[in-house]
Coordinates of all heavy atoms in Angstrom, one line a residue:
M13 N -20.1 -2.4 -131.8 CA -21.2 -1.9 -131.0 C -20.7 -1.0 -129.8 O -19.8 -1.4 -129.1 CB -22.2 -2.9 -130.6 CG -23.2 -2.5 -129.7 SD -24.7 -3.6 -129.5 CE -25.4 -3.6 -131.2
D14 N -21.3 0.0 -129.6 CA -21.1 0.9 -128.6 C -21.3 0.2 -127.2 O -22.3 -0.3 -126.9 CB -21.8 2.2 -128.6 CG -21.3 3.3 -127.6 OD1 -20.3 3.1 -127.1 OD2 -22.0 4.4 -127.5
L15 N -20.3 0.3 -126.3 CA -20.4 -0.4 -125.0 C -21.4 0.2 -124.1 O -22.0 -0.4 -123.2 CB -19.2 -0.3 -124.3 CG -18.0 -1.2 -124.9 CD1 -16.7 -1.1 -124.1 CD2 -18.4 -2.7 -125.0
L16 N -22.0 1.6 -124.3 CA -22.9 2.1 -123.6 C -24.3 1.8 -123.9 O -25.3 1.9 -123.3 CB -22.8 3.7 -123.5 CG -21.5 4.3 -122.9 CD1 -21.4 5.8 -123.1 CD2 -21.4 3.8 -121.5
V17 N -24.4 1.4 -125.3 CA -25.7 1.0 -125.8 C -26.1 -0.5 -125.5 O -27.3 -0.9 -125.3 CB -25.7 1.2 -127.3 CG1 -27.0 0.7 -127.9 CG2 -25.5 2.6 -127.6
L18 N -25.0 -1.4 -125.4 CA -25.2 -2.7 -125.1 C -26.1 -3.1 -123.9 O -27.1 -3.9 -124.0 CB -23.9 -3.4 -125.0 CG -24.0 -5.0 -124.9 CD1 -24.6 -5.6 -126.2 CD2 -22.5 -5.5 -124.8
P19 N -25.9 -2.5 -122.6 CA -26.7 -2.8 -121.6 C -28.1 -2.3 -121.8 O -29.1 -3.0 -121.2 CB -26.2 -2.0 -120.4 CG -24.7 -1.8 -120.8 CD -24.8 -1.6 -122.3
L20 N -28.4 -1.3 -122.5 CA -29.7 -0.9 -122.7 C -30.6 -1.8 -123.6 O -31.8 -1.8 -123.5 CB -29.7 0.6 -123.3 CG -29.1 1.7 -122.6 CD1 -29.0 2.9 -123.3 CD2 -29.9 1.9 -121.3
Q21 N -29.9 -2.6 -124.4 CA -30.6 -3.5 -125.3 C -31.0 -4.9 -124.5 O -31.8 -5.5 -125.0 CB -29.7 -3.8 -126.5 CG -29.6 -2.6 -127.4 CD -28.7 -3.0 -128.6 OE1 -27.9 -4.0 -128.6 NE2 -28.6 -2.1 -129.6
Q22 N -30.4 -5.1 -123.4 CA -30.6 -6.3 -122.6 C -31.3 -5.9 -121.3 O -30.9 -6.5 -120.3 CB -29.2 -6.9 -122.4 CG -28.5 -7.4 -123.6 CD -27.2 -8.1 -123.3 OE1 -26.7 -8.1 -122.2 NE2 -26.6 -8.5 -124.3
V23 N -32.4 -5.2 -121.4 CA -33.1 -4.9 -120.2 C -33.8 -6.1 -119.6 O -33.9 -6.3 -118.4 CB -34.2 -3.8 -120.5 CG1 -35.0 -3.6 -119.3 CG2 -33.4 -2.5 -121.0
D24 N -34.4 -7.0 -120.4 CA -35.0 -8.1 -119.9 C -34.5 -9.4 -120.8 O -35.2 -9.9 -121.7 CB -36.6 -8.1 -120.2 CG -37.4 -9.1 -119.5 OD1 -36.8 -9.8 -118.7 OD2 -38.6 -9.3 -119.9
P25 N -33.3 -9.8 -120.5 CA -32.7 -10.8 -121.4 C -33.4 -12.2 -121.4 O -33.4 -13.0 -122.3 CB -31.3 -10.9 -120.9 CG -31.3 -10.5 -119.4 CD -32.5 -9.4 -119.3
F26 N -34.1 -12.5 -120.3 CA -34.8 -13.9 -120.4 C -36.2 -13.7 -120.6 O -36.9 -14.8 -120.5 CB -34.6 -14.4 -118.9 CG -33.1 -14.6 -118.5 CD1 -32.5 -13.9 -117.5 CD2 -32.3 -15.5 -119.2 CE1 -31.2 -14.0 -117.2 CE2 -31.1 -15.7 -118.9 CZ -30.4 -14.9 -117.8
G27 N -36.7 -12.5 -120.9 CA -38.2 -12.4 -121.2 C -39.1 -12.6 -120.1 O -40.3 -12.9 -120.3
V28 N -38.7 -12.3 -118.9 CA -39.5 -12.6 -117.7 C -40.7 -11.5 -117.8 O -41.9 -11.8 -117.5 CB -38.7 -12.4 -116.4 CG1 -39.7 -12.4 -115.2 CG2 -37.7 -13.5 -116.3
Q29 N -40.4 -10.2 -118.0 CA -41.4 -9.2 -118.0 C -42.5 -9.5 -119.0 O -43.6 -9.3 -118.8 CB -40.8 -7.8 -118.3 CG -39.9 -7.4 -117.2 CD -40.7 -6.8 -116.0 OE1 -41.9 -6.4 -116.1 NE2 -40.2 -7.0 -114.8
Q30 N -42.0 -9.9 -120.3 CA -43.0 -10.3 -121.3 C -43.9 -11.5 -120.9 O -45.0 -11.6 -121.2 CB -42.3 -10.5 -122.6 CG -41.6 -9.3 -123.1 CD -40.8 -9.5 -124.3 OE1 -40.6 -10.6 -124.7 NE2 -40.2 -8.5 -125.0
S31 N -43.3 -12.5 -120.3 CA -44.0 -13.7 -120.0 C -45.1 -13.5 -118.9 O -46.0 -14.1 -118.9 CB -43.1 -14.8 -119.6 OG -42.4 -14.6 -118.5
L32 N -44.9 -12.5 -117.9 CA -45.8 -12.3 -116.9 C -47.0 -11.6 -117.3 O -48.1 -11.9 -116.8 CB -45.0 -11.5 -115.8 CG -44.1 -12.2 -114.9 CD1 -43.5 -11.3 -113.9 CD2 -44.7 -13.4 -114.2
G33 N -46.8 -10.7 -118.2 CA -48.0 -9.9 -118.7 C -48.4 -8.8 -117.7 O -47.7 -8.6 -116.6
V34 N -49.5 -8.1 -117.9 CA -49.8 -6.9 -117.1 C -50.2 -7.4 -115.7 O -49.9 -6.9 -114.6 CB -50.9 -6.1 -117.7 CG1 -51.3 -5.0 -116.8 CG2 -50.3 -5.5 -119.0
A35 N -51.2 -8.4 -115.7 CA -51.7 -8.9 -114.4 C -50.6 -9.6 -113.6 O -50.6 -9.4 -112.4 CB -52.8 -9.9 -114.7
G36 N -49.8 -10.3 -114.2 CA -48.7 -11.0 -113.5 C -47.8 -9.9 -112.7 O -47.3 -10.1 -111.7
R37 N -47.5 -8.8 -113.5 CA -46.6 -7.8 -112.9 C -47.3 -7.1 -111.9 O -46.7 -6.7 -110.8 CB -46.1 -6.8 -114.0 CG -45.1 -7.4 -114.9 CD -44.6 -6.4 -116.0 NE -45.7 -6.4 -117.0 CZ -45.7 -5.7 -118.0 NH1 -44.5 -5.0 -118.4 NH2 -46.7 -5.6 -118.9
A38 N -48.7 -6.9 -111.9 CA -49.4 -6.3 -110.9 C -49.4 -7.2 -109.6 O -49.3 -6.6 -108.5 CB -50.8 -5.9 -111.3
V39 N -49.5 -8.4 -109.8 CA -49.6 -9.3 -108.7 C -48.2 -9.4 -108.0 O -48.0 -9.3 -106.8 CB -50.0 -10.7 -109.1 CG1 -49.8 -11.7 -108.1 CG2 -51.5 -10.7 -109.5
A40 N -47.1 -9.4 -108.9 CA -45.8 -9.3 -108.3 C -45.4 -8.2 -107.5 O -44.8 -8.2 -106.5 CB -44.7 -9.5 -109.5
A41 N -45.9 -7.0 -108.0 CA -45.8 -5.6 -107.3 C -46.5 -5.7 -106.0 O -46.0 -5.2 -104.9 CB -46.3 -4.5 -108.2
F42 N -47.7 -6.3 -106.0 CA -48.6 -6.3 -104.7 C -47.8 -7.2 -103.8 O -47.7 -6.8 -102.5 CB -49.9 -6.8 -105.1 CG -50.8 -7.2 -103.8 CD1 -51.4 -6.1 -103.1 CD2 -51.0 -8.5 -103.4 CE1 -52.0 -6.3 -101.9 CE2 -51.7 -8.6 -102.3 CZ -52.2 -7.7 -101.5
L43 N -47.3 -8.3 -104.2 CA -46.6 -9.3 -103.2 C -45.4 -8.7 -102.8 O -45.0 -8.9 -101.6 CB -46.3 -10.6 -104.0 CG -47.6 -11.5 -104.2 CD1 -47.2 -12.7 -105.0 CD2 -48.3 -11.9 -103.0
G44 N -44.7 -8.0 -103.7 CA -43.4 -7.3 -103.1 C -43.7 -6.3 -102.1 O -42.9 -6.2 -101.1
T45 N -44.7 -5.4 -102.3 CA -45.1 -4.5 -101.3 C -45.6 -5.2 -100.0 O -45.2 -4.8 -98.8 CB -46.3 -3.6 -101.8 OG1 -45.8 -3.0 -103.0 CG2 -46.6 -2.5 -100.8
L46 N -46.3 -6.3 -100.1 CA -46.8 -7.1 -98.9 C -45.5 -7.6 -98.1 O -45.5 -7.5 -96.9 CB -47.6 -8.2 -99.3 CG -48.5 -8.8 -98.4 CD1 -49.5 -7.8 -97.8 CD2 -49.3 -10.0 -98.8
I47 N -44.6 -8.1 -98.8 CA -43.4 -8.7 -98.2 C -42.5 -7.6 -97.5 O -42.1 -7.7 -96.3 CB -42.6 -9.5 -99.2 CG1 -43.2 -10.7 -99.6 CG2 -41.2 -9.7 -98.7 CD1 -42.7 -11.3 -100.7
V48 N -42.4 -6.4 -98.1 CA -41.7 -5.3 -97.5 C -42.3 -4.9 -96.3 O -41.7 -4.6 -95.3 CB -41.4 -4.2 -98.5 CG1 -41.0 -3.0 -97.9 CG2 -40.5 -4.6 -99.6
G49 N -43.7 -4.8 -96.3 CA -44.5 -4.3 -95.2 C -44.3 -5.4 -94.0 O -44.3 -5.0 -92.8
A50 N -44.3 -6.6 -94.2 CA -44.3 -7.7 -93.3 C -42.8 -7.6 -92.7 O -42.7 -7.8 -91.5 CB -44.5 -9.1 -93.8
L51 N -41.8 -7.4 -93.4 CA -40.5 -7.3 -93.0 C -40.3 -6.1 -92.2 O -39.6 -6.2 -91.0 CB -39.5 -7.3 -94.2 CG -39.3 -8.5 -94.9 CD1 -38.4 -8.2 -96.1 CD2 -38.8 -9.6 -94.1
L52 N -41.0 -5.0 -92.5 CA -40.9 -3.8 -91.6 C -41.6 -4.1 -90.2 O -41.0 -3.7 -89.1 CB -41.7 -2.6 -92.2 CG -40.9 -1.8 -93.3 CD1 -41.8 -0.8 -93.9 CD2 -39.8 -1.1 -92.5
L53 N -42.6 -4.7 -90.2 CA -43.3 -5.1 -88.9 C -42.5 -6.0 -88.1 O -42.6 -6.0 -86.9 CB -44.8 -5.6 -89.2 CG -45.8 -4.6 -89.7 CD1 -47.1 -5.2 -90.0 CD2 -46.0 -3.5 -88.5
A54 N -41.8 -7.0 -88.8 CA -41.2 -8.0 -88.1 C -39.8 -7.5 -87.5 O -39.5 -7.8 -86.4 CB -40.8 -9.1 -89.1
F55 N -39.2 -6.5 -88.2 CA -37.8 -6.2 -87.8 C -37.6 -4.9 -87.1 O -36.8 -4.7 -86.3 CB -36.8 -6.4 -88.9 CG -36.5 -7.7 -89.3 CD1 -37.1 -8.2 -90.6 CD2 -36.0 -8.7 -88.5 CE1 -36.9 -9.5 -91.0 CE2 -35.9 -10.0 -88.8 CZ -36.3 -10.4 -90.1
V56 N -38.5 -3.9 -87.5 CA -38.4 -2.5 -87.0 C -39.8 -2.0 -86.5 O -40.3 -1.1 -86.9 CB -37.8 -1.6 -88.0 CG1 -36.3 -1.8 -88.2 CG2 -38.5 -1.7 -89.4
E57 N -40.4 -2.8 -85.7 CA -41.8 -2.6 -85.2 C -41.9 -1.3 -84.5 O -42.7 -0.5 -84.5 CB -42.3 -3.8 -84.4 CG -43.7 -3.6 -84.0 CD -44.3 -4.7 -83.3 OE1 -43.4 -5.8 -83.1 OE2 -45.3 -4.8 -82.9
E58 N -40.8 -1.0 -83.6 CA -40.7 0.2 -82.7 C -40.8 1.5 -83.6 O -41.6 2.4 -83.5 CB -39.6 0.1 -81.8 CG -39.6 -1.0 -80.8 CD -38.9 -2.1 -81.4 OE1 -38.0 -2.1 -82.4 OE2 -39.2 -3.3 -81.0
W59 N -40.0 1.5 -84.6 CA -39.8 2.6 -85.5 C -41.2 2.7 -86.3 O -41.6 3.8 -86.4 CB -38.7 2.3 -86.5 CG -38.7 3.4 -87.6 CD1 -38.1 4.7 -87.5 CD2 -39.1 3.3 -88.9 NE1 -38.2 5.4 -88.7 CE2 -38.9 4.5 -89.6 CE3 -39.8 2.4 -89.6 CZ2 -39.2 4.8 -90.9 CZ3 -40.3 2.6 -90.9 CH2 -39.9 3.7 -91.5
F60 N -41.7 1.7 -86.7 CA -42.9 1.7 -87.5 C -44.1 2.3 -86.6 O -44.9 3.0 -87.0 CB -43.3 0.3 -88.0 CG -44.4 0.3 -88.9 CD1 -44.4 0.8 -90.2 CD2 -45.7 -0.2 -88.6 CE1 -45.4 0.6 -91.0 CE2 -46.8 -0.3 -89.4 CZ -46.7 0.2 -90.7
E61 N -44.2 1.8 -85.3 CA -45.2 2.3 -84.4 C -45.0 3.7 -84.1 O -46.1 4.5 -84.1 CB -45.1 1.5 -83.1 CG -45.7 0.0 -83.4 CD -47.1 0.0 -83.6 OE1 -47.9 0.8 -83.3 OE2 -47.4 -1.0 -84.4
R62 N -43.8 4.2 -83.9 CA -43.5 5.5 -83.7 C -44.0 6.4 -84.9 O -44.5 7.5 -84.7 CB -42.0 5.8 -83.4 CG -41.7 7.2 -82.9 CD -40.2 7.2 -82.3 NE -39.3 7.1 -83.4 CZ -38.4 6.1 -83.5 NH1 -38.3 5.3 -82.5 NH2 -37.6 6.0 -84.4
L63 N -43.7 5.9 -86.1 CA -44.0 6.7 -87.4 C -45.5 6.8 -87.4 O -46.1 7.8 -87.8 CB -43.4 6.1 -88.5 CG -43.7 6.7 -89.9 CD1 -43.0 8.0 -90.0 CD2 -43.2 5.8 -91.0
L64 N -46.2 5.7 -87.3 CA -47.6 5.6 -87.2 C -48.3 6.6 -86.2 O -49.2 7.3 -86.5 CB -48.2 4.2 -87.1 CG -49.6 4.0 -87.3 CD1 -50.0 4.3 -88.8 CD2 -49.9 2.5 -87.1
G65 N -47.6 6.6 -85.1 CA -48.1 7.6 -84.1 C -48.0 9.1 -84.4 O -48.9 9.8 -84.2
V66 N -47.0 9.5 -85.1 CA -46.7 10.8 -85.6 C -47.8 11.1 -86.7 O -48.4 12.2 -86.6 CB -45.4 11.0 -86.2 CG1 -45.2 12.3 -87.0 CG2 -44.2 10.9 -85.2
V67 N -48.1 10.1 -87.5 CA -49.1 10.4 -88.6 C -50.5 10.5 -87.9 O -51.3 11.3 -88.3 CB -49.1 9.3 -89.6 CG1 -50.2 9.3 -90.6 CG2 -47.8 9.3 -90.4
D68 N -50.8 9.7 -86.9 CA -52.1 9.8 -86.2 C -52.2 11.1 -85.4 O -53.4 11.6 -85.3 CB -52.2 8.6 -85.3 CG -52.7 7.3 -85.9 OD1 -53.1 7.4 -87.1 OD2 -52.5 6.2 -85.3
D69 N -51.1 11.5 -84.8 CA -51.2 12.7 -84.0 C -51.3 14.0 -84.8 O -51.9 15.0 -84.4 CB -50.0 12.9 -83.1 CG -50.0 11.8 -82.0 OD1 -51.1 11.2 -81.8 OD2 -48.9 11.4 -81.4
A70 N -50.7 14.0 -86.0 CA -50.7 15.2 -86.9 C -50.9 14.9 -88.3 O -50.1 14.8 -89.0 CB -49.4 15.9 -86.6
P71 N -52.3 14.7 -88.7 CA -52.5 14.1 -90.0 C -52.4 15.3 -91.1 O -51.9 15.0 -92.1 CB -53.9 13.7 -89.9 CG -54.5 14.3 -88.8 CD -53.4 14.6 -87.8
V72 N -52.7 16.5 -90.7 CA -52.6 17.6 -91.7 C -51.0 17.8 -92.1 O -50.8 17.9 -93.3 CB -53.2 18.9 -91.2 CG1 -53.0 20.0 -92.2 CG2 -54.7 18.6 -91.0
P73 N -50.1 17.9 -91.2 CA -48.8 18.1 -91.6 C -48.2 16.9 -92.4 O -47.4 17.2 -93.3 CB -48.0 18.3 -90.3 CG -49.0 18.9 -89.3 CD -50.2 18.2 -89.7
S74 N -48.6 15.8 -91.9 CA -48.2 14.6 -92.7 C -48.7 14.6 -94.1 O -48.0 14.3 -95.1 CB -48.7 13.3 -92.0 OG -48.2 13.2 -90.7
F75 N -49.9 15.0 -94.3 CA -50.6 15.1 -95.7 C -49.8 16.1 -96.4 O -49.5 15.9 -97.6 CB -52.0 15.4 -95.4 CG -52.7 15.6 -96.8 CD1 -53.0 14.6 -97.6 CD2 -52.9 16.8 -97.3 CE1 -53.6 14.7 -98.9 CE2 -53.5 17.1 -98.5 CZ -53.9 16.1 -99.3
L76 N -49.5 17.3 -95.8 CA -48.7 18.3 -96.5 C -47.4 17.9 -96.9 O -46.9 18.2 -98.0 CB -48.7 19.7 -95.7 CG -50.2 20.2 -95.5 CD1 -50.1 21.5 -94.6 CD2 -50.7 20.7 -96.7
W77 N -46.7 17.2 -96.0 CA -45.4 16.6 -96.4 C -45.6 15.7 -97.6 O -44.7 15.7 -98.5 CB -44.8 15.9 -95.3 CG -43.9 16.8 -94.3 CD1 -44.3 17.3 -93.1 CD2 -42.6 17.3 -94.7 NE1 -43.2 18.1 -92.7 CE2 -42.2 18.1 -93.7 CE3 -41.7 17.1 -95.7 CZ2 -41.0 18.7 -93.6 CZ3 -40.6 17.8 -95.7 CH2 -40.1 18.5 -94.7
G78 N -46.6 14.9 -97.6 CA -46.8 14.0 -98.8 C -47.0 14.7 -100.0 O -46.5 14.4 -101.0
I79 N -47.9 15.7 -100.0 CA -48.0 16.6 -101.1 C -46.9 17.2 -101.7 O -46.6 17.3 -102.8 CB -49.3 17.6 -101.0 CG1 -50.6 16.8 -100.7 CG2 -49.4 18.5 -102.0 CD1 -51.1 16.0 -101.8
G80 N -46.1 17.8 -100.7 CA -44.8 18.4 -101.0 C -43.8 17.5 -101.6 O -43.1 17.8 -102.7
T81 N -43.7 16.3 -101.1 CA -42.9 15.3 -101.7 C -43.3 14.9 -103.2 O -42.5 14.7 -104.0 CB -42.9 14.0 -100.9 OG1 -42.5 14.4 -99.5 CG2 -41.9 13.0 -101.4
L82 N -44.7 14.8 -103.3 CA -45.1 14.5 -104.7 C -44.8 15.7 -105.7 O -44.4 15.4 -106.8 CB -46.7 14.3 -104.6 CG -47.3 14.1 -106.0 CD1 -47.0 12.7 -106.5 CD2 -48.9 14.1 -105.8
V83 N -45.0 16.9 -105.3 CA -44.7 18.0 -106.1 C -43.2 18.0 -106.4 O -42.8 18.2 -107.6 CB -45.3 19.3 -105.6 CG1 -44.7 20.4 -106.2 CG2 -46.8 19.3 -105.4
G84 N -42.3 17.8 -105.5 CA -40.9 17.8 -105.6 C -40.5 16.7 -106.5 O -39.6 16.9 -107.3
G85 N -41.0 15.5 -106.3 CA -40.8 14.4 -107.3 C -41.1 14.7 -108.7 O -40.5 14.4 -109.6
L86 N -42.3 15.4 -108.9 CA -42.8 15.6 -110.3 C -41.8 16.7 -110.9 O -41.5 16.6 -112.1 CB -44.2 16.2 -110.3 CG -45.3 15.1 -110.0 CD1 -46.7 15.8 -109.8 CD2 -45.2 14.0 -111.1
I87 N -41.5 17.7 -110.1 CA -40.5 18.7 -110.6 C -39.3 18.1 -111.0 O -38.7 18.4 -112.0 CB -40.4 20.0 -109.5 CG1 -41.6 20.7 -109.5 CG2 -39.2 20.8 -109.9 CD1 -41.6 21.7 -108.3
S88 N -38.7 17.2 -110.1 CA -37.5 16.5 -110.4 C -37.6 15.7 -111.7 O -36.7 15.6 -112.6 CB -37.0 15.6 -109.3 OG -36.8 16.4 -108.1
F89 N -38.6 15.0 -111.9 CA -38.9 14.2 -113.1 C -39.0 15.1 -114.4 O -38.3 14.8 -115.4 CB -40.3 13.4 -113.0 CG -40.6 12.6 -114.2 CD1 -39.9 11.4 -114.5 CD2 -41.7 13.2 -115.1 CE1 -40.3 10.8 -115.6 CE2 -41.9 12.4 -116.2 CZ -41.3 11.2 -116.5
V90 N -39.6 16.2 -114.3 CA -39.7 17.1 -115.4 C -38.4 17.6 -115.8 O -37.9 17.7 -117.0 CB -40.8 18.2 -115.2 CG1 -40.7 19.3 -116.3 CG2 -42.2 17.6 -115.1
I91 N -37.6 18.2 -114.8 CA -36.3 18.6 -115.0 C -35.4 17.5 -115.6 O -34.6 17.7 -116.6 CB -35.7 19.3 -113.8 CG1 -36.4 20.5 -113.5 CG2 -34.2 19.5 -114.0 CD1 -36.1 21.2 -112.2
S92 N -35.4 16.3 -115.1 CA -34.6 15.3 -115.6 C -35.0 14.9 -117.1 O -34.2 14.6 -117.9 CB -34.8 14.0 -114.8 OG -34.3 14.2 -113.5
S93 N -36.3 14.9 -117.4 CA -36.8 14.6 -118.6 C -36.3 15.7 -119.7 O -35.9 15.3 -120.8 CB -38.3 14.5 -118.7 OG -38.8 13.5 -117.9
I94 N -36.4 16.8 -119.3 CA -35.9 17.9 -120.3 C -34.3 17.8 -120.5 O -33.9 17.9 -121.5 CB -36.2 19.3 -119.6 CG1 -37.7 19.5 -119.6 CG2 -35.5 20.4 -120.3 CD1 -38.2 20.7 -118.9
G95 N -33.6 17.4 -119.4 CA -32.2 17.3 -119.5 C -31.8 16.2 -120.4 O -31.0 16.2 -121.3
V96 N -32.5 15.0 -120.3 CA -32.2 13.9 -121.1 C -32.7 14.2 -122.5 O -31.9 13.9 -123.5 CB -33.0 12.6 -120.5 CG1 -33.1 11.5 -121.5 CG2 -32.4 12.1 -119.2
G97 N -33.8 14.9 -122.8 CA -34.1 15.3 -124.1 C -33.2 16.2 -124.9 O -32.8 16.0 -125.9
V98 N -32.7 17.1 -124.0 CA -31.7 18.1 -124.7 C -30.4 17.3 -124.9 O -29.8 17.5 -126.0 CB -31.3 19.2 -123.6 CG1 -30.2 20.0 -124.1 CG2 -32.6 20.2 -123.5
H99 N -30.0 16.4 -124.0 CA -28.7 15.7 -124.3 C -28.9 14.8 -125.6 O -28.1 14.7 -126.3 CB -28.4 14.8 -123.0 CG -27.3 13.9 -123.3 ND1 -26.0 14.3 -123.4 CD2 -27.2 12.5 -123.5 CE1 -25.2 13.2 -123.6 NE2 -25.9 12.2 -123.7
E100 N -30.0 14.1 -125.6 CA -30.3 13.1 -126.7 C -30.4 13.9 -128.1 O -29.9 13.5 -129.2 CB -31.6 12.3 -126.5 CG -31.3 11.3 -125.4 CD -30.2 10.3 -125.9 OE1 -30.2 9.8 -127.1 OE2 -29.5 9.9 -124.9
S101 N -31.0 15.1 -128.1 CA -31.2 15.9 -129.3 C -29.8 16.5 -129.7 O -29.5 16.5 -130.9 CB -32.1 17.1 -129.1 OG -31.6 17.9 -128.2
E102 N -28.9 16.7 -128.8 CA -27.5 17.2 -129.1 C -26.8 16.1 -129.7 O -26.0 16.2 -130.7 CB -26.8 17.7 -127.9 CG -27.3 19.1 -127.5 CD -26.7 19.6 -126.1 OE1 -25.9 18.9 -125.7 OE2 -27.0 20.7 -125.8
A103 N -26.9 14.8 -129.1 CA -26.3 13.6 -129.7 C -26.8 13.3 -131.0 O -26.0 12.9 -131.8 CB -26.5 12.5 -128.6
L104 N -28.1 13.5 -131.3 CA -28.7 13.2 -132.5 C -28.0 14.1 -133.6 O -27.7 13.7 -134.8 CB -30.1 13.4 -132.6 CG -30.9 13.0 -133.9 CD1 -30.7 11.6 -134.3 CD2 -32.3 13.3 -133.6
V105 N -27.8 15.3 -133.2 CA -27.3 16.2 -134.3 C -25.8 16.0 -134.4 O -25.4 16.0 -135.6 CB -27.6 17.7 -133.8 CG1 -26.7 18.8 -134.6 CG2 -29.0 18.1 -133.7
S106 N -25.0 15.7 -133.4 CA -23.6 15.5 -133.6 C -23.2 14.2 -133.9 O -22.2 14.0 -134.6 CB -22.9 15.9 -132.2 OG -23.4 14.9 -131.2
Q107 N -24.0 13.1 -133.6 CA -23.6 11.8 -134.1 C -24.9 11.1 -134.6 O -25.4 10.2 -134.0 CB -23.1 11.1 -132.9 CG -21.8 11.7 -132.4 CD -21.5 10.8 -131.0 OE1 -22.2 10.2 -130.4 NE2 -20.2 11.0 -130.6
P108 N -25.4 11.4 -135.8 CA -26.6 10.7 -136.3 C -26.6 9.4 -136.6 O -27.4 8.6 -136.6 CB -26.9 11.6 -137.6 CG -25.6 12.3 -138.0 CD -24.9 12.4 -136.7
E109 N -25.2 8.9 -136.8 CA -25.0 7.5 -137.1 C -25.4 6.5 -135.9 O -25.8 5.3 -136.1 CB -23.7 7.1 -137.6 CG -22.6 7.3 -136.6 CD -22.1 8.8 -136.5 OE1 -22.7 9.7 -137.1 OE2 -21.2 9.1 -135.6
R110 N -25.3 7.1 -134.7 CA -25.6 6.2 -133.5 C -27.1 5.9 -133.5 O -27.5 4.9 -132.8 CB -25.3 7.0 -132.2 CG -23.9 7.0 -131.8 CD -23.7 7.7 -130.6 NE -24.4 7.2 -129.5 CZ -24.8 7.9 -128.4 NH1 -24.4 9.1 -128.3 NH2 -25.6 7.4 -127.5
F111 N -28.0 6.7 -134.1 CA -29.4 6.5 -134.0 C -30.0 5.9 -135.2 O -31.2 5.8 -135.4 CB -30.1 7.8 -133.8 CG -29.7 8.4 -132.4 CD1 -28.6 9.3 -132.2 CD2 -30.4 8.1 -131.2 CE1 -28.2 9.8 -131.0 CE2 -29.9 8.5 -130.0 CZ -28.9 9.4 -129.9
A112 N -29.1 5.4 -136.1 CA -29.6 4.8 -137.4 C -30.1 3.4 -137.1 O -29.5 2.7 -136.3 CB -28.6 4.9 -138.5
F113 N -31.2 3.0 -137.7 CA -31.7 1.6 -137.7 C -30.8 0.7 -138.5 O -30.5 1.1 -139.7 CB -33.1 1.5 -138.1 CG -34.1 2.2 -137.1 CD1 -34.7 3.4 -137.5 CD2 -34.3 1.6 -135.9 CE1 -35.5 3.9 -136.6 CE2 -35.1 2.2 -135.1 CZ -35.8 3.4 -135.3
R114 N -30.5 -0.5 -138.0 CA -29.6 -1.3 -138.7 C -30.3 -2.6 -139.0 O -31.0 -3.2 -138.3 CB -28.2 -1.6 -138.0 CG -27.4 -0.3 -137.8 CD -26.4 -0.5 -137.0 NE -25.8 0.8 -136.6 CZ -24.8 1.0 -136.0 NH1 -24.2 0.1 -135.4 NH2 -24.4 2.2 -135.7

């Protein structure tokens, strides 16, 4: 077996993602976000307050930075997806045995 394919087949070796289900994963994501927010408030409160003050003082530039970041992230995602698709199609043509079902 190809050593590069082996880690991709063991994404969830213990079945944790499957056992949680959609609701369980949503609750876990919410709790993770809540914990990270609590840690931010507990350990870097001054930085957090300063950042909140900037957003309160200038909401329009903050909103525009957020929109710009979203657009930049979407463009990066599209370019990455195209690159992966081109790479996989070239691999499919040059090494079709890698993609055969066994």
